[in-house]
Amino acid sequence: QSALTQPASVSGSPGQSITISCTGTSSDVGGYNYVSWYQQHPGKAPQLMIYEVSNRPSGVPDRFSGYKSGYTASLTISGLQADDEADYYCSSYTRSSTWVFGGGTKVTVL
Amino acid sequence: QVQLVESGGGVVQPGRSLRLSCAASGFTFNTYGIHWVRQAPGKGLEWVAVISYDGSSKYYADSVKGRFTTSRDNSKNTLYLQMNSLRTEDTAVYYCAKDRWYCSGGTCSGIDYWGQGTLVTVSS
């Protein structure tokens, strides 16, 4: 159960767009559409931002969008805001009926 | 609103046991799968286990298989994680988290709500 691969950090200026990648294998990201993205502010519990690759829960701004191609899922944040500065994690269902998270990406708003 | 409240964390010596509880409210507990996820200090999220809505299906991460057991009491809207043979590397904040589906046969949709977590420290 190796962790999914995410960049350690991504940064952008307010108003810009950034994309975080999440790379797995055919046994997880590439094989299923059960990919989720979570935002975690320091000292807080994670919060769901995207589920099943590209679906936004109610209450999540449409500035957040998800996509998948092959073994790589992506989270795009458009119109970057100061409050978007946080850690972001992807997760995926796996062939073993288990789940795996990415290592996390720290988003910095310059 | 959905609420998940973990309890039972604390300091424990290596090799000893600890049981965590997770009290749920604000949703129909007996129709959803529930996960355990942990986060070591300063580290990322690590999935630990999942249990189906009725407790008939359970799956574990390799790192805890054979040492940790999850169970649920739907009459009390409570989830449990029994942790045996604890190791220093088990030190983490443990979250219980609700899935979007019932997780029958192990197939889930993914976590949509998280508790605030309880800290487990394994140290001599």
Side-chain angles (χ1 to χ4, degrees):
Chain A
Q1 291 172 332
S2 299
L4 305 176
T5 300
Q6 296 182 233
S9 63
V10 173
S11 62
S13 299
Q16 286 187 330
S17 294
I18 61 169
T19 297
I20 303 168
S21 60
C22 169
T23 302
T25 68
S26 59
S27 297
D28 40 63
V29 175
Y32 304 93
N33 287 326
Y34 299 127
V35 176
S36 299
W37 289 91
Y38 302 93
Q39 176 192 68
Q40 186 180 34
H41 286 110
K44 301 293 187 181
Q47 177 185 349
L48 177 65
M49 306 305 285
I50 296 288
Y51 67 94
E52 292 177 10
V53 175
S54 59
N55 296 287
R56 259 188 328 273
S58 60
V60 173
D62 60 5
R63 302 185 296 104
F64 292 84
S65 61
Y67 174 78
K68 190 185 87 167
S69 177
Y71 299 165
T72 299
S74 300
L75 173 72
T76 296
I77 309 174
S78 304
L80 200 61
Q81 298 180 2
D83 189 51
D84 298 334
E85 186 161 293
D87 293 325
Y88 290 82
Y89 296 90
C90 60
S91 75
S92 174
Y93 180 71
T94 81
R95 185 168 56 188
S96 306
S97 297
T98 60
W99 290 77
V100 61
F101 283 93
T105 298
K106 181 176 180 59
V107 169
T108 301
V109 180
L110 302 172
Chain B
Q1 71 280 20
V2 173
Q3 279 201 315
L4 298 160
V5 180
E6 303 90 341
S7 61
V11 180
V12 60
Q13 293 180 327
R16 304 298 289 264
S17 299
L18 200 63
R19 189 178 83 156
L20 304 183
S21 298
C22 171
S25 60
F27 65 101
T28 307
F29 182 71
N30 62 8
T31 61
Y32 290 95
I34 307 288
H35 301 254
W36 288 99
V37 178
R38 68 185 181 183
Q39 187 169 34
K43 302 297 185 181
L45 301 173
E46 179 187 12
W47 180 82
V48 173
V50 65
I51 184 168
S52 62
Y53 71 106
D54 60 354
S56 63
S57 298
K58 305 174 188 181
Y59 296 88
Y60 299 92
D62 288 344
S63 58
V64 306
K65 197 175 297 182
R67 299 188 300 123
F68 289 12
T69 301
T70 188
S71 60
R72 63 192 297 163
D73 186 337
N74 285 346
S75 68
K76 296 182 178 179
N77 284 6
T78 301
L79 179 76
Y80 304 100
L81 183 66
Q82 178 67 41
M83 304 185 294
N84 299 330
S85 303
L86 282 162
R87 306 168 180 169
T88 55
E89 55 264 36
D90 295 320
T91 294
V93 172
Y94 284 74
Y95 296 99
C96 66
K98 171 189 166 293
D99 196 273
R100 293 184 63 253
W101 285 1
Y102 47 92
C103 295
S104 178
T107 301
C108 307
S109 170
I111 292 168
D112 58 356
Y113 290 97
W114 300 68
Q116 287 304 305
T118 186
L119 177 62
V120 172
T121 302
V122 184
S123 173
S124 55

